[in-house]
Every structure is written in C-alpha cells, then in structure tokens.
Coordinates of all heavy atoms in Angstrom, one line a residue:
M1 N 0.8 -1.2 0.0 CA 0.0 0.0 0.0 C 0.9 1.3 0.0 O 1.9 1.3 0.6 CB -0.9 0.0 1.2 CG -1.9 -1.1 1.3 SD -3.3 -0.7 0.1 CE -4.4 -2.0 0.5
V2 N 0.4 2.3 -0.7 CA 1.1 3.5 -0.8 C 0.2 4.6 -0.2 O -1.0 4.5 -0.2 CB 1.6 3.9 -2.2 CG1 2.6 2.9 -2.7 CG2 0.4 4.0 -3.1
E3 N 0.8 5.7 0.2 CA 0.0 6.9 0.6 C -0.7 7.5 -0.5 O -0.1 7.9 -1.5 CB 0.8 7.9 1.4 CG 0.0 9.0 2.0 CD 0.9 10.0 2.8 OE1 1.7 9.5 3.6 OE2 0.7 11.2 2.5
C4 N -2.0 7.7 -0.4 CA -2.8 8.4 -1.5 C -2.5 9.9 -1.5 O -2.5 10.5 -0.5 CB -4.3 8.2 -1.2 SG -5.4 9.1 -2.3
A5 N -2.2 10.4 -2.7 CA -1.9 11.8 -2.9 C -3.1 12.7 -2.6 O -3.0 13.9 -2.4 CB -1.4 12.0 -4.3
W6 N -4.3 12.1 -2.7 CA -5.6 12.9 -2.5 C -6.0 12.9 -1.1 O -6.4 14.0 -0.6 CB -6.7 12.3 -3.4 CG -6.4 12.5 -4.8 CD1 -5.7 11.7 -5.7 CD2 -6.8 13.7 -5.6 NE1 -5.6 12.3 -6.9 CE2 -6.3 13.5 -6.9 CE3 -7.5 14.8 -5.3 CZ2 -6.4 14.4 -7.9 CZ3 -7.6 15.8 -6.3 CH2 -7.1 15.5 -7.6
C7 N -6.1 11.8 -0.4 CA -6.6 11.8 1.0 C -5.6 11.5 2.1 O -5.9 11.7 3.2 CB -7.8 10.8 1.1 SG -7.2 9.0 1.1
G8 N -4.4 11.1 1.7 CA -3.3 10.9 2.6 C -3.3 9.6 3.3 O -2.5 9.2 4.1
E9 N -4.4 8.8 3.1 CA -4.5 7.4 3.7 C -3.5 6.5 3.1 O -3.2 6.6 1.9 CB -5.9 6.9 3.6 CG -6.9 7.7 4.3 CD -6.8 7.6 5.9 OE1 -6.4 6.5 6.3 OE2 -7.1 8.6 6.5
S10 N -3.0 5.5 3.8 CA -2.2 4.5 3.3 C -3.0 3.3 2.7 O -2.9 2.2 3.1 CB -1.2 3.9 4.3 OG -0.3 4.9 4.7
A11 N -3.8 3.7 1.7 CA -4.8 2.8 1.1 C -4.6 2.7 -0.4 O -5.5 2.2 -1.1 CB -6.2 3.1 1.5
G12 N -3.6 3.3 -1.0 CA -3.4 3.3 -2.4 C -2.6 2.0 -2.9 O -1.8 1.5 -2.2
E13 N -3.1 1.5 -4.0 CA -2.4 0.4 -4.6 C -2.3 0.6 -6.1 O -3.1 1.2 -6.7 CB -3.1 -0.9 -4.3 CG -4.6 -1.0 -4.7 CD -5.3 -2.2 -4.3 OE1 -4.7 -3.1 -3.6 OE2 -6.5 -2.3 -4.6
K14 N -1.3 -0.1 -6.7 CA -1.1 0.0 -8.1 C -2.2 -0.7 -8.9 O -2.7 -1.7 -8.5 CB 0.3 -0.5 -8.6 CG 1.4 0.3 -8.0 CD 2.7 0.0 -8.7 CE 3.8 0.8 -8.1 NZ 3.8 2.2 -8.6
S15 N -2.7 -0.1 -10.0 CA -3.8 -0.6 -10.7 C -3.7 0.0 -12.2 O -2.7 0.6 -12.5 CB -5.1 -0.1 -10.1 OG -6.2 -0.7 -10.7
V16 N -4.7 -0.3 -13.0 CA -4.8 0.3 -14.3 C -6.2 0.9 -14.4 O -7.2 0.4 -13.8 CB -4.5 -0.7 -15.4 CG1 -3.1 -1.1 -15.4 CG2 -5.4 -1.8 -15.4
H17 N -6.4 1.9 -15.2 CA -7.7 2.6 -15.3 C -7.7 3.3 -16.7 O -6.6 3.6 -17.3 CB -7.9 3.6 -14.2 CG -9.3 4.0 -13.9 ND1 -10.3 3.0 -13.6 CD2 -9.9 5.2 -13.9 CE1 -11.4 3.7 -13.4 NE2 -11.2 5.0 -13.6
T18 N -8.8 3.8 -17.1 CA -9.0 4.6 -18.3 C -8.8 6.0 -17.9 O -9.3 6.5 -16.9 CB -10.4 4.4 -18.9 OG1 -10.5 3.0 -19.3 CG2 -10.6 5.2 -20.1
A19 N -8.1 6.7 -18.8 CA -7.8 8.2 -18.7 C -8.3 8.9 -19.9 O -8.2 8.3 -21.0 CB -6.4 8.4 -18.4
F20 N -8.7 10.1 -19.8 CA -9.1 10.9 -20.9 C -8.1 12.1 -21.0 O -7.8 12.7 -20.0 CB -10.5 11.4 -20.8 CG -11.5 10.3 -20.7 CD1 -11.8 9.7 -19.5 CD2 -12.0 9.8 -21.9 CE1 -12.7 8.6 -19.5 CE2 -12.9 8.7 -21.9 CZ -13.3 8.2 -20.6
W21 N -7.5 12.3 -22.2 CA -6.4 13.2 -22.4 C -6.7 14.2 -23.5 O -7.1 13.8 -24.6 CB -5.1 12.5 -22.7 CG -4.0 12.9 -21.9 CD1 -3.1 14.0 -22.2 CD2 -3.6 12.4 -20.7 NE1 -2.2 14.0 -21.2 CE2 -2.4 13.1 -20.2 CE3 -4.0 11.3 -19.9 CZ2 -1.8 12.8 -19.1 CZ3 -3.4 11.0 -18.7 CH2 -2.3 11.7 -18.3
E22 N -6.5 15.5 -23.3 CA -6.6 16.5 -24.4 C -5.3 16.4 -25.2 O -4.2 16.4 -24.6 CB -6.9 17.8 -23.8 CG -7.0 18.9 -24.9 CD -7.3 20.3 -24.3 OE1 -7.5 20.4 -23.1 OE2 -7.4 21.2 -25.1
L23 N -5.4 16.4 -26.5 CA -4.2 16.5 -27.3 C -3.5 17.8 -27.2 O -4.1 18.8 -26.9 CB -4.5 16.2 -28.8 CG -5.1 14.8 -29.0 CD1 -5.5 14.7 -30.5 CD2 -4.2 13.7 -28.6
P24 N -2.1 17.8 -27.3 CA -1.4 19.1 -27.1 C -1.9 20.2 -28.0 O -1.8 21.4 -27.6 CB 0.0 18.7 -27.5 CG 0.1 17.2 -27.3 CD -1.3 16.7 -27.6
D25 N -2.4 20.0 -29.2 CA -2.8 21.1 -30.0 C -4.3 21.5 -29.7 O -4.8 22.5 -30.3 CB -2.7 20.7 -31.5 CG -3.6 19.5 -31.9 OD1 -4.4 19.0 -31.0 OD2 -3.5 19.0 -33.0
G26 N -4.9 20.8 -28.7 CA -6.2 21.2 -28.3 C -7.4 20.9 -29.2 O -8.5 21.3 -28.9
T27 N -7.1 20.1 -30.2 CA -8.2 19.9 -31.2 C -9.2 18.9 -30.8 O -10.3 18.9 -31.2 CB -7.5 19.4 -32.5 OG1 -6.8 18.2 -32.3 CG2 -6.7 20.4 -33.2
R28 N -8.8 17.9 -29.9 CA -9.8 16.9 -29.4 C -9.1 16.2 -28.2 O -8.0 16.4 -27.9 CB -10.1 15.9 -30.5 CG -8.9 15.1 -31.0 CD -9.3 14.2 -32.2 NE -8.1 13.6 -32.7 CZ -7.8 12.3 -32.6 NH1 -8.7 11.5 -32.0 NH2 -6.8 11.8 -33.1
G29 N -9.9 15.4 -27.6 CA -9.5 14.5 -26.5 C -9.5 13.1 -27.0 O -10.2 12.7 -27.9
I30 N -8.7 12.2 -26.3 CA -8.7 10.8 -26.6 C -8.9 10.0 -25.3 O -8.6 10.6 -24.2 CB -7.4 10.4 -27.3 CG1 -6.2 10.6 -26.5 CG2 -7.3 11.0 -28.7 CD1 -4.9 10.0 -27.1
E31 N -9.3 8.8 -25.5 CA -9.5 7.9 -24.3 C -8.3 7.0 -24.4 O -8.0 6.3 -25.4 CB -10.8 7.1 -24.5 CG -11.1 6.2 -23.4 CD -12.4 5.4 -23.5 OE1 -13.3 6.0 -24.2 OE2 -12.5 4.4 -23.0
I32 N -7.6 6.9 -23.3 CA -6.4 6.0 -23.2 C -6.8 4.9 -22.1 O -7.0 5.2 -21.0 CB -5.2 6.7 -22.7 CG1 -4.9 7.9 -23.6 CG2 -4.0 5.8 -22.8 CD1 -3.8 8.8 -23.2
T33 N -6.8 3.7 -22.6 CA -7.2 2.6 -21.7 C -6.0 1.9 -21.0 O -4.9 2.0 -21.5 CB -8.0 1.5 -22.5 OG1 -7.2 1.0 -23.5 CG2 -9.3 2.1 -23.1
D34 N -6.2 1.3 -19.9 CA -5.2 0.5 -19.2 C -4.0 1.3 -18.8 O -2.8 0.9 -19.0 CB -4.8 -0.7 -20.0 CG -6.0 -1.7 -20.4 OD1 -6.8 -1.8 -19.5 OD2 -6.0 -2.2 -21.5
V35 N -4.2 2.5 -18.4 CA -3.1 3.4 -17.9 C -2.7 3.0 -16.5 O -3.6 2.9 -15.6 CB -3.6 4.9 -18.0 CG1 -2.5 5.8 -17.5 CG2 -4.0 5.3 -19.4
P36 N -1.4 2.8 -16.2 CA -1.0 2.6 -14.9 C -1.4 3.7 -14.0 O -1.3 4.9 -14.3 CB 0.5 2.5 -15.0 CG 0.8 2.2 -16.4 CD -0.3 2.9 -17.2
C37 N -1.9 3.4 -12.8 CA -2.4 4.4 -11.9 C -2.3 3.9 -10.4 O -2.0 2.7 -10.2 CB -3.9 4.8 -12.2 SG -5.1 3.5 -11.9
I38 N -2.7 4.8 -9.5 CA -2.9 4.4 -8.1 C -4.4 4.4 -7.8 O -5.1 5.4 -8.2 CB -2.1 5.4 -7.2 CG1 -0.6 5.4 -7.5 CG2 -2.4 5.1 -5.7 CD1 0.1 4.1 -7.2
K39 N -4.9 3.4 -7.2 CA -6.3 3.3 -6.9 C -6.3 3.3 -5.3 O -5.7 2.5 -4.7 CB -6.9 2.0 -7.4 CG -8.3 1.7 -6.9 CD -8.7 0.3 -7.3 CE -10.0 0.0 -6.6 NZ -10.4 -1.4 -6.8
C40 N -7.1 4.3 -4.8 CA -7.2 4.4 -3.3 C -8.5 3.8 -2.9 O -9.6 4.2 -3.3 CB -7.1 5.9 -2.9 SG -7.3 6.0 -1.1
S41 N -8.4 2.8 -2.0 CA -9.6 2.2 -1.5 C -10.3 3.0 -0.4 O -11.5 2.8 -0.1 CB -9.3 0.8 -1.0 OG -8.3 0.8 0.0
A42 N -9.6 4.0 0.1 CA -10.2 4.8 1.2 C -11.1 5.9 0.6 O -12.2 6.1 1.0 CB -9.1 5.5 2.0
C43 N -10.6 6.6 -0.4 CA -11.4 7.7 -1.0 C -12.0 7.4 -2.4 O -12.7 8.2 -2.9 CB -10.6 9.0 -1.1 SG -9.2 9.0 -2.3
G44 N -11.5 6.3 -3.0 CA -12.1 5.9 -4.3 C -11.4 6.6 -5.5 O -11.9 6.4 -6.6
M45 N -10.4 7.4 -5.3 CA -9.7 8.1 -6.4 C -8.8 7.1 -7.2 O -8.2 6.2 -6.6 CB -8.8 9.2 -5.9 CG -9.6 10.5 -5.5 SD -10.5 11.2 -6.9 CE -9.2 11.9 -7.9
Y46 N -8.8 7.4 -8.5 CA -7.8 6.8 -9.4 C -7.0 7.9 -9.9 O -7.6 8.9 -10.4 CB -8.5 6.1 -10.6 CG -9.2 4.8 -10.2 CD1 -10.5 4.8 -9.7 CD2 -8.7 3.6 -10.5 CE1 -11.2 3.7 -9.5 CE2 -9.3 2.4 -10.2 CZ -10.6 2.5 -9.7 OH -11.3 1.3 -9.5
Y47 N -5.7 7.8 -9.9 CA -4.8 8.9 -10.4 C -3.5 8.4 -10.9 O -3.0 7.3 -10.5 CB -4.6 10.0 -9.4 CG -3.9 9.6 -8.1 CD1 -2.5 9.7 -8.1 CD2 -4.5 9.1 -7.0 CE1 -1.8 9.3 -7.0 CE2 -3.8 8.7 -5.9 CZ -2.4 8.8 -5.9 OH -1.7 8.4 -4.8
Q48 N -3.0 9.1 -11.9 CA -1.7 8.7 -12.5 C -0.5 9.4 -11.7 O -0.7 10.5 -11.3 CB -1.6 9.1 -13.9 CG -2.5 8.4 -14.9 CD -3.9 8.9 -14.8 OE1 -4.2 10.0 -14.6 NE2 -4.9 8.0 -14.9
E49 N 0.6 8.7 -11.5 CA 1.7 9.3 -10.9 C 2.4 10.2 -11.9 O 2.2 10.0 -13.1 CB 2.7 8.2 -10.4 CG 2.1 7.3 -9.3 CD 2.9 6.2 -8.9 OE1 3.1 5.2 -9.6 OE2 3.5 6.3 -7.7
E50 N 3.2 11.1 -11.5 CA 3.9 12.1 -12.3 C 4.7 11.5 -13.5 O 4.7 12.0 -14.6 CB 4.8 13.0 -11.5 CG 4.0 14.0 -10.6 CD 3.1 15.0 -11.4 OE1 3.6 15.4 -12.5 OE2 2.0 15.2 -11.0
E51 N 5.3 10.3 -13.2 CA 6.1 9.7 -14.3 C 5.3 9.2 -15.4 O 5.6 9.4 -16.6 CB 6.9 8.5 -13.7 CG 7.9 8.8 -12.6 CD 7.2 8.9 -11.2 OE1 6.2 8.2 -11.0 OE2 7.7 9.7 -10.4
V52 N 4.1 8.7 -15.1 CA 3.2 8.3 -16.2 C 2.6 9.4 -16.9 O 2.5 9.4 -18.2 CB 2.0 7.4 -15.6 CG1 1.0 7.0 -16.6 CG2 2.6 6.1 -14.9
I53 N 2.2 10.5 -16.2 CA 1.7 11.7 -16.9 C 2.8 12.3 -17.8 O 2.5 12.6 -19.0 CB 1.4 12.8 -15.8 CG1 0.2 12.3 -15.0 CG2 1.1 14.1 -16.5 CD1 -0.2 13.1 -13.8
E54 N 4.0 12.4 -17.4 CA 5.1 12.9 -18.2 C 5.3 12.0 -19.4 O 5.5 12.5 -20.5 CB 6.4 12.9 -17.3 CG 7.6 13.3 -18.1 CD 7.9 14.8 -18.1 OE1 7.3 15.5 -17.2 OE2 8.6 15.3 -18.9
E55 N 5.3 10.7 -19.2 CA 5.4 9.8 -20.3 C 4.3 9.9 -21.4 O 4.6 10.0 -22.6 CB 5.4 8.3 -19.8 CG 6.0 7.3 -20.7 CD 6.1 6.0 -19.9 OE1 5.2 5.6 -19.1 OE2 7.1 5.3 -20.2
I56 N 3.1 10.1 -21.0 CA 2.0 10.2 -21.9 C 2.1 11.6 -22.6 O 2.0 11.7 -23.9 CB 0.6 10.1 -21.2 CG1 0.4 8.7 -20.7 CG2 -0.5 10.6 -22.1 CD1 -0.8 8.5 -19.8
E57 N 2.3 12.7 -21.9 CA 2.4 14.0 -22.5 C 3.6 14.1 -23.4 O 3.4 14.7 -24.5 CB 2.5 15.1 -21.4 CG 1.1 15.2 -20.7 CD 1.1 16.3 -19.6 OE1 2.1 16.8 -19.3 OE2 0.0 16.5 -19.1
T58 N 4.7 13.5 -23.1 CA 5.9 13.5 -24.0 C 5.5 12.8 -25.3 O 5.8 13.3 -26.4 CB 7.1 12.9 -23.3 OG1 7.5 13.8 -22.2 CG2 8.3 12.9 -24.3
Q59 N 4.9 11.6 -25.2 CA 4.6 10.8 -26.3 C 3.6 11.6 -27.2 O 3.8 11.6 -28.5 CB 4.0 9.4 -25.9 CG 3.8 8.5 -27.1 CD 5.0 8.0 -27.8 OE1 6.1 8.4 -27.5 NE2 4.8 7.1 -28.7
L60 N 2.6 12.2 -26.6 CA 1.6 13.0 -27.4 C 2.3 14.1 -28.2 O 1.8 14.6 -29.2 CB 0.5 13.4 -26.6 CG -0.4 12.3 -26.1 CD1 -1.5 12.9 -25.1 CD2 -1.1 11.6 -27.2
L61 N 3.3 14.7 -27.6 CA 4.1 15.8 -28.3 C 4.9 15.3 -29.5 O 5.1 16.0 -30.4 CB 5.0 16.5 -27.3 CG 4.4 17.5 -26.4 CD1 5.4 17.9 -25.3 CD2 3.8 18.7 -27.1
L62 N 5.3 14.0 -29.4 CA 6.2 13.5 -30.4 C 5.6 12.6 -31.5 O 6.3 12.2 -32.4 CB 7.3 12.7 -29.7 CG 8.1 13.6 -28.7 CD1 9.2 12.7 -28.0 CD2 8.8 14.8 -29.3
V63 N 4.3 12.4 -31.4 CA 3.7 11.5 -32.5 C 2.8 12.4 -33.3 O 2.4 13.5 -32.9 CB 2.9 10.4 -31.8 CG1 3.8 9.5 -31.0 CG2 1.7 10.9 -31.0
D64 N 2.4 11.9 -34.5 CA 1.4 12.6 -35.3 C 0.0 12.3 -34.7 O -0.6 11.2 -35.0 CB 1.5 12.0 -36.8 CG 0.6 12.8 -37.7 OD1 -0.2 13.6 -37.3 OD2 0.8 12.6 -38.9
T65 N -0.5 13.2 -34.0 CA -1.8 13.0 -33.3 C -3.0 12.9 -34.2 O -4.0 12.3 -33.8 CB -2.0 14.1 -32.2 OG1 -2.0 15.4 -32.9 CG2 -1.0 14.1 -31.1
K66 N -2.8 13.3 -35.4 CA -3.9 13.2 -36.4 C -4.2 11.7 -36.7 O -5.3 11.4 -37.1 CB -3.6 14.0 -37.7 CG -3.6 15.5 -37.5 CD -3.2 16.2 -38.8 CE -3.0 17.6 -38.5 NZ -1.6 18.0 -38.4
L67 N -3.2 10.9 -36.5 CA -3.3 9.5 -36.8 C -3.9 8.6 -35.6 O -4.2 7.5 -35.8 CB -2.0 8.9 -37.3 CG -1.3 9.5 -38.5 CD1 0.0 8.9 -38.8 CD2 -2.3 9.4 -39.7
L68 N -4.0 9.3 -34.5 CA -4.4 8.5 -33.3 C -5.9 8.3 -33.3 O -6.7 9.2 -33.7 CB -4.1 9.3 -32.0 CG -2.6 9.4 -31.7 CD1 -2.4 10.3 -30.4 CD2 -2.0 8.1 -31.5
P69 N -6.4 7.1 -33.0 CA -7.8 6.9 -32.9 C -8.4 7.6 -31.7 O -7.7 8.1 -30.8 CB -7.9 5.3 -32.8 CG -6.6 5.0 -32.1 CD -5.6 5.9 -32.6
K70 N -9.7 7.5 -31.5 CA -10.4 8.1 -30.4 C -10.1 7.4 -29.1 O -10.1 7.9 -28.0 CB -11.9 8.2 -30.6 CG -12.3 9.2 -31.7 CD -13.8 9.2 -31.9 CE -14.2 10.1 -33.0 NZ -15.6 10.2 -33.2
V71 N -9.9 6.1 -29.3 CA -9.6 5.2 -28.1 C -8.3 4.4 -28.4 O -8.2 3.8 -29.5 CB -10.8 4.2 -27.8 CG1 -10.4 3.3 -26.7 CG2 -12.1 5.0 -27.6
I72 N -7.4 4.4 -27.5 CA -6.1 3.7 -27.7 C -5.6 3.2 -26.3 O -5.9 3.9 -25.3 CB -5.1 4.7 -28.3 CG1 -3.8 3.9 -28.8 CG2 -4.7 5.8 -27.4 CD1 -2.8 4.7 -29.7
S73 N -5.0 2.1 -26.3 CA -4.4 1.6 -25.0 C -3.1 2.3 -24.7 O -2.5 2.9 -25.6 CB -4.2 0.1 -25.1 OG -3.1 -0.2 -25.8
Y74 N -2.8 2.3 -23.5 CA -1.5 3.0 -23.0 C -0.3 2.3 -23.8 O 0.5 3.1 -24.3 CB -1.4 2.8 -21.5 CG -0.1 3.2 -20.9 CD1 0.1 4.6 -20.7 CD2 0.8 2.3 -20.5 CE1 1.3 5.0 -20.1 CE2 2.0 2.7 -19.9 CZ 2.2 4.0 -19.7 OH 3.4 4.4 -19.1
K75 N -0.3 1.0 -23.9 CA 0.8 0.4 -24.5 C 0.9 0.7 -26.0 O 1.9 0.9 -26.6 CB 0.7 -1.2 -24.3 CG 1.1 -1.6 -22.9 CD 1.1 -3.1 -22.8 CE 1.4 -3.4 -21.3 NZ 1.5 -4.9 -21.1
E76 N -0.3 0.8 -26.7 CA -0.4 1.1 -28.1 C 0.1 2.6 -28.3 O 0.8 2.9 -29.3 CB -1.8 1.0 -28.6 CG -2.3 -0.4 -28.8 CD -3.7 -0.5 -29.1 OE1 -4.5 0.4 -28.7 OE2 -4.1 -1.5 -29.8
L77 N -0.3 3.5 -27.4 CA 0.2 4.9 -27.5 C 1.7 4.9 -27.4 O 2.3 5.6 -28.2 CB -0.5 5.7 -26.4 CG 0.0 7.2 -26.3 CD1 -0.3 7.9 -27.6 CD2 -0.6 7.9 -25.1
L78 N 2.3 4.3 -26.4 CA 3.7 4.3 -26.3 C 4.4 3.6 -27.4 O 5.6 4.0 -27.7 CB 4.1 3.7 -24.9 CG 3.6 4.5 -23.7 CD1 4.2 3.8 -22.4 CD2 4.0 6.0 -23.8
A79 N 3.8 2.7 -28.1 CA 4.4 2.0 -29.3 C 4.2 2.8 -30.6 O 4.8 2.4 -31.6 CB 3.8 0.6 -29.4
T80 N 3.4 3.9 -30.5 CA 3.2 4.7 -31.8 C 4.5 5.3 -32.2 O 5.2 5.9 -31.4 CB 2.2 5.8 -31.5 OG1 0.9 5.2 -31.0 CG2 1.9 6.6 -32.7
P81 N 4.9 5.2 -33.5 CA 6.1 5.8 -34.0 C 6.2 7.3 -33.7 O 5.2 8.0 -34.0 CB 6.1 5.4 -35.4 CG 5.2 4.3 -35.6 CD 4.2 4.5 -34.5
R82 N 7.3 7.8 -33.3 CA 7.5 9.2 -33.1 C 8.0 9.9 -34.3 O 8.8 9.3 -35.1 CB 8.5 9.4 -31.9 CG 8.0 8.9 -30.6 CD 9.1 9.0 -29.6 NE 8.6 8.8 -28.2 CZ 9.2 9.1 -27.1 NH1 10.5 9.6 -27.1 NH2 8.7 8.8 -25.9
L83 N 7.7 11.2 -34.4 CA 8.2 12.0 -35.5 C 9.6 12.5 -35.1 O 10.4 12.8 -35.9 CB 7.3 13.2 -35.7 CG 5.9 12.9 -36.2 CD1 5.0 14.2 -36.2 CD2 5.9 12.3 -37.5
L84 N 9.8 12.7 -33.8 CA 11.1 13.1 -33.2 C 11.6 12.1 -32.2 O 10.7 11.4 -31.7 CB 11.1 14.5 -32.5 CG 10.7 15.7 -33.4 CD1 10.4 16.9 -32.5 CD2 11.8 16.0 -34.4
K85 N 12.9 11.9 -32.0 CA 13.3 10.9 -31.1 C 13.1 11.3 -29.6 O 12.8 10.4 -28.8 CB 14.8 10.7 -31.3 CG 15.2 10.0 -32.6 CD 16.7 9.7 -32.7 CE 16.9 9.1 -34.0 NZ 18.4 8.8 -34.2
R86 N 13.1 12.6 -29.3 CA 12.9 13.0 -28.0 C 12.4 14.4 -28.0 O 12.3 15.1 -29.0 CB 14.2 12.9 -27.1 CG 15.3 13.8 -27.6 CD 16.6 13.5 -26.9 NE 17.4 14.4 -26.1 CZ 17.2 15.6 -25.6 NH1 16.1 16.2 -25.8 NH2 18.1 16.2 -24.9
N87 N 11.9 14.9 -26.8 CA 11.4 16.2 -26.7 C 12.6 17.1 -26.5 O 13.2 17.2 -25.4 CB 10.5 16.3 -25.5 CG 9.9 17.6 -25.3 OD1 10.2 18.6 -26.0 ND2 9.0 17.8 -24.3
Y88 N 13.0 17.9 -27.5 CA 14.1 18.7 -27.5 C 13.8 20.0 -26.7 O 14.7 20.9 -26.5 CB 14.6 19.0 -28.9 CG 15.1 17.8 -29.6 CD1 14.4 17.1 -30.5 CD2 16.4 17.3 -29.3 CE1 14.8 15.9 -31.1 CE2 16.9 16.2 -29.9 CZ 16.1 15.5 -30.8 OH 16.6 14.4 -31.4
F89 N 12.6 20.3 -26.3 CA 12.2 21.5 -25.6 C 12.3 21.3 -24.1 O 12.0 22.3 -23.4 CB 10.9 22.0 -26.1 CG 10.8 22.2 -27.6 CD1 10.2 21.3 -28.4 CD2 11.4 23.4 -28.1 CE1 10.2 21.6 -29.8 CE2 11.4 23.6 -29.4 CZ 10.8 22.7 -30.3
K90 N 12.5 20.1 -23.6 CA 12.5 19.8 -22.2 C 14.0 19.9 -21.8 O 14.8 19.1 -22.2 CB 12.0 18.5 -21.9 CG 11.9 18.2 -20.4 CD 11.4 16.9 -20.1 CE 11.5 16.7 -18.6 NZ 11.2 15.4 -18.2
F91 N 14.3 20.8 -20.9 CA 15.7 21.0 -20.4 C 15.8 20.5 -19.0 O 15.0 20.5 -18.2 CB 16.0 22.5 -20.5 CG 15.9 23.1 -21.8 CD1 14.8 23.9 -22.2 CD2 16.8 22.8 -22.8 CE1 14.6 24.4 -23.4 CE2 16.7 23.4 -24.1 CZ 15.6 24.2 -24.4

C-alpha cells in the first residue's frame, strides 16, 4: 500500500484505469485505456503518478496526433512511432 496523494491514507495500490487526455494542439481529446495508476480504497480516487503523466504527455508531443484513434491503449500509445526521437524542448 502507498499513501494516497488525494486523501493521505495508506490505502493506495497500483492498478490500471482509463484516462481521458486532451491532445497538445487542443483539437480533441482521446481515451487511453489500461493506464497505470494508483487506486485508493479509502477515497475511491484513481490517479496517475507524475512519471506516467510525463510519459503520456511527451509521447503525445512527439507523435502525429492526427493518426491517433479516439480510443487507444496505453501500450499502443507508447508504441506509436515518433516524429522526433525525444522532446528537445525539455531542459
């Protein structure tokens, strides 16, 4: 069990959940399934840790988002070919 970032209880556990993400260009949102998350049995929250958020946001910056379907799994998103090798704007 890990401490929940929302309620502070030691009732968080690793899980997967669906997340909805706005694309970086703001044109639409997508549904990402099976995203690693923390599920808190005390408050009922599901949330992504910062590393997962960073990974998703970086990938969305580096792929051709026009080719992404409305629903994609986390693993499929991360396997999507990138236009650039890395985010050159992150210092």
